[in-house]
Amino acid sequence: MLILISFIYFSYLIIKLYISYNEIRFVKNALFLKPQILDEKEYKKAGKYKIINEKFNTIKTFFDYALFLMWISWGLKFLEKNLIKEDSILESVTFLLIVLFINYLFTIPFDLYATFKKEIEITTIDKKTYILDQVKSLGLTVIFGTVLFFTIIWIMKNLPSWWIWGFLVMFSITIFINMIYPTIIAPIFNKFTPLEDKELNSNIEKLLSRVKLKSDGVFVVDASKRDKRLNAYFGGLGNSKRVVLYDTLLNTLSVDELLAVLGHELGHFVHKDIVKNIFASGSILFIMFAIFGNLPDTFFSSLNLSSSSHMTIVMFFLLSPIILFLWMPIFGAMSRKNEYKADEYGAKSQSKEALKSALLKLAKENSSFPLSHHLSIIFYHTHPPLVDRVKRLMQ
Ligand SMILES: [Zn+2]
């Protein structure tokens, strides 16, 4: 079984490498051609950034594979031998938190490089903010992880067909976290201040009222303390929406462009994309619980592992990237279709030109290369490449 699982993971690695190889070759070739959409300097910079990114991800993929082999060949056995004495829920939860923590420790060097080195021209974060972010995310992971693991392990030990109940709990917690994210979790990391510009405020109100939504306040978030990326989003369920604008967006876009971007986001609401996304994530989560909830005992015994609740959850963590990878072409296709429709809506609510120039500024500030190899698009893109979006917009 060890050989079979390693082989499956290895095939996943090879496919990922093949996609990256194609993407790098594609971008290198594209850089020889006439710049598309962006001006020459931006185009070259975005291309260079894309290639660095792909190479970085390739190294990370190899590293993840090594970490996976470490866990599956002896790490899990070693930890279980030293930690699990009575097979209590508390021991199992501790086991899972330690596995997560060790994985986290191993990924720190990559994260440091990605934050302070690789994205040197995009990130603006200072060391203090970075360390505070890490401490806060660790704290939140421990709190939510403990609650989640306790509940799921209790269910596993006490209920028949536990995976159905486990799925329902996990799905509810995911929805709950999404609900409290804009008002409780996001403010832990960023400062939200009400938008002072009265005119823009009333323009946003007007935009919302056209689709019978109310504003629950327009806030500016200090995203520029981390990087230069531009973004805006709507939060909250029901008819009143909390509108969040990145300060980077406010500083870079004109009023027309900003309203076009909000029009795009509003398009997602009008087309019920948020609900569709929740359903899509729910269905893959259900499939994953169905798989891991029905792993035969021989699966674990042939790996020399116990078929315990904590081992089942660890397998879920270790193998879910492969399932998500196979799922991505379906989810990505749906998402890219929704993006085109949201663009259409944004263009209608403001103007094609405003949305187009906003998209160009977004690409420039995010240093995103406007083209991509088709395999990369299929497996990784939730948004269509910029060239295609602009083309479709201008039809
Ligand atoms: Zn969108």
Side-chain angles (χ1 to χ4, degrees):
M1 186 59 85
L2 182 62
I3 294 174
L4 178 66
I5 292 188
S6 309
F7 177 74
I8 292 175
Y9 203 112
F10 186 70
S11 315
Y12 157 70
L13 176 121
I14 295 292
I15 299 173
K16 282 185 75 138
L17 289 181
Y18 180 70
I19 298 171
S20 280
Y21 167 77
N22 276 296
E23 180 75 341
I24 292 174
R25 223 178 46 167
F26 176 86
V27 175
K28 278 186 177 163
N29 285 336
L31 282 174
F32 281 116
L33 304 172
K34 197 169 129 277
Q36 298 226 33
I37 294 188
L38 301 174
D39 72 33
E40 179 138 12
K41 201 173 134 239
E42 292 158 1
Y43 185 78
K44 288 246 152 73
K45 186 178 142 201
K48 201 178 117 203
Y49 180 54
K50 176 106 192 177
I51 292 172
I52 296 176
N53 239 336
E54 283 297 330
K55 287 183 179 165
F56 174 78
N57 287 338
T58 305
I59 297 170
K60 178 89 176 36
T61 304
F62 272 110
F63 181 79
D64 286 342
Y65 184 52
L67 199 58
F68 171 80
L69 289 179
M70 183 279 283
W71 279 125
I72 207 138
S73 58
W74 64 269
L76 293 174
K77 256 174 276 175
F78 178 81
L79 199 60
E80 187 170 54
K81 213 173 107 209
N82 288 292
L83 201 74
I84 308 289
K85 306 284 179 214
E86 298 159 2
D87 199 22
S88 66
I89 297 186
L90 184 65
E91 279 178 357
S92 293
V93 173
T94 315
F95 177 92
L96 290 168
L97 289 177
I98 291 178
V99 172
L100 285 188
F101 187 67
I102 293 175
N103 261 357
Y104 164 75
L105 287 182
F106 277 117
T107 54
I108 287 180
F110 288 96
D111 197 47
L112 281 173
Y113 177 78
T115 312
F116 292 105
K117 269 266 191 247
K118 179 171 70 80
E119 293 185 280
I120 209 138
E121 285 171 81
I122 292 183
T123 41
T124 49
I125 194 167
D126 58 23
K127 282 188 190 122
K128 193 180 147 215
T129 313
Y130 180 81
I131 294 169
L132 272 176
D133 278 359
Q134 297 294 316
V135 174
K136 289 172 189 169
S137 334
L138 262 181
L140 284 173
T141 309
V142 171
I143 295 169
F144 284 109
T146 308
V147 173
L148 181 70
F149 292 150
F150 252 102
T151 319
I152 302 249
I153 294 171
W154 184 87
I155 291 174
M156 286 169 111
K157 285 181 189 282
N158 293 289
L159 298 180
S161 302
W162 71 266
W163 61 273
I164 298 176
W165 303 105
F167 159 74
L168 289 174
V169 166
M170 180 79 180
F171 192 45
S172 320
I173 291 186
T174 316
I175 293 177
F176 174 71
I177 292 179
N178 268 307
M179 269 165 65
I180 62 168
Y181 182 82
T183 45
I184 297 176
I185 299 183
I188 298 177
F189 293 92
N190 280 92
K191 215 168 101 195
F192 289 77
T193 32
L195 176 70
E196 276 169 16
D197 186 335
K198 292 260 169 357
E199 201 190 326
L200 183 57
N201 232 321
S202 81
N203 273 328
I204 293 175
E205 298 270 0
K206 261 185 238 154
L207 191 71
L208 287 168
S209 66
R210 258 190 259 163
V211 285
K212 301 199 173 56
L213 290 177
K214 263 193 356 228
S215 145
D216 197 12
V218 182
F219 294 87
V220 182
V221 59
D222 58 344
S224 60
K225 72 173 178 180
R226 292 208 180 74
D227 53 47
K228 295 182 192 164
R229 289 191 184 93
L230 313 177
N231 207 355
Y233 63 88
F234 292 104
L237 298 171
N239 281 341
S240 56
K241 297 286 168 222
R242 187 183 167 95
V243 184
V244 177
L245 310 172
Y246 279 28
D247 56 353
T248 46
L249 192 78
L250 221 50
N251 297 335
T252 318
L253 298 192
S254 71
V255 174
D256 264 1
E257 290 163 347
L258 198 116
L259 289 172
V261 169
L262 287 179
H264 168 102
E265 292 304 321
L266 213 53
H268 283 308
F269 267 100
V270 174
H271 304 136
K272 305 229 171 353
D273 293 342
I274 320 294
V275 183
K276 284 182 209 158
N277 280 350
I278 292 176
F279 262 97
S281 349
S283 38
I284 185 62
L285 200 63
F286 183 80
I287 293 171
M288 277 154 70
F289 268 89
I291 294 173
F292 291 98
N294 293 294
L295 285 178
D297 284 352
T298 47
F299 172 84
F300 295 96
S301 59
S302 57
L303 288 169
N304 275 326
L305 298 172
S306 67
S307 56
S308 54
S309 42
H310 52 264
M311 227 34 116
T312 308
I313 298 180
V314 164
M315 285 302 155
F316 190 106
F317 276 120
L318 291 181
L319 296 172
S320 58
I322 302 178
I323 299 172
L324 290 175
F325 180 75
L326 296 174
W327 166 251
M328 192 51 204
I330 303 170
F331 179 74
M334 177 187 109
S335 174
R336 291 191 301 274
K337 212 176 104 210
N338 293 342
E339 290 304 327
Y340 281 130
K341 272 168 55 200
D343 276 349
E344 223 175 84
Y345 192 89
K348 245 195 286 163
S349 76
Q350 207 59 28
S351 72
K352 279 181 178 186
E353 285 69 27
L355 186 59
K356 181 187 167 186
S357 65
L359 286 175
L360 292 184
K361 283 188 183 171
L362 250 74
K364 186 185 153 214
E365 293 301 319
N366 298 2
S367 248
S368 48
F369 197 64
L371 298 159
S372 231
H373 187 263
H374 64 273
L375 277 177
S376 252
I377 300 174
I378 291 173
F379 281 95
Y380 301 124
H381 286 215
T382 53
H383 289 61
L386 189 66
V387 167
D388 295 340
R389 283 177 81 176
V390 170
K391 241 187 235 160
R392 181 79 72 100
L393 204 59
M394 290 300 156
Q395 263 171 15

